[in-house]
Amino acid sequence: MNRRAAALCLLFVLGAAVVARAQEVELEEVLNRLGTAWEHGDAGALAALAAHAGLSIEILGERVGPLSKRQVAAVLRRVFERRETIALRHGMAQVVGGTPPRAFGELAWITRVEGTTIPERATIFIALIREDEGWRVTQIRLLR
């Protein structure tokens, strides 16, 4: 292999690494916004992150969707209804590749029903797809 071909291969590898890192940083930013909105029970902000094709929601094994942003907000308002967030922790997040690129993230949510002291734990799995505007949510799964 001549020097020029080797240099082109190196540039290609470095360019791919830069793009991958940029996608990871953007994913972290979106998951931080999503976590903040979830912690505050902001169904509208969460719905605004939905993919153009819609967002599916699975709560305790019952799945609906894909839903429009307005429908997503309505479902999530019911999830947050009468719940107080005690803690929300970010878990694993990873870009998994594909065309278009896909990713996933995880949140640990500890809540209690208003007027009670008994904490309830849930895990929230988020599936995302990379669209022209950036990472968008395609699925939210809430498991207790």
Side-chain angles (χ1 to χ4, degrees), residues 49-140:
L49 295 171
H52 290 297
L55 190 154
S56 296
I57 298 176
E58 183 178 326
I59 301 171
L60 306 175
E62 291 188 40
R63 183 179 168 153
V64 294
L67 304 171
S68 70
K69 291 178 182 185
R70 192 177 66 116
Q71 293 169 314
V72 167
V75 170
L76 291 176
R77 273 193 296 276
R78 296 202 63 194
V79 168
F80 298 131
E81 193 173 71
R82 298 189 61 232
R83 293 217 161 266
E84 178 184 357
T85 296
I86 298 169
L88 184 82
R89 289 188 281 281
H90 291 264
M92 192 171 173
Q94 185 174 4
V95 176
V96 292
T99 304
R102 296 188 176 271
F104 69 89
E106 181 181 306
L107 299 170
W109 189 34
I110 302 172
T111 66
R112 69 176 157 237
V113 175
E114 288 178 2
T116 69
T117 59
I118 302 168
E120 296 179 4
R121 299 176 190 283
T123 302
I124 305 157
F125 294 103
I126 301 116
L128 302 103
I129 189 167
R130 178 97 173 130
E131 294 183 344
D132 292 339
E133 306 83 29
W135 290 106
R136 309 298 281 181
V137 180
T138 60
Q139 183 181 41
I140 294 174

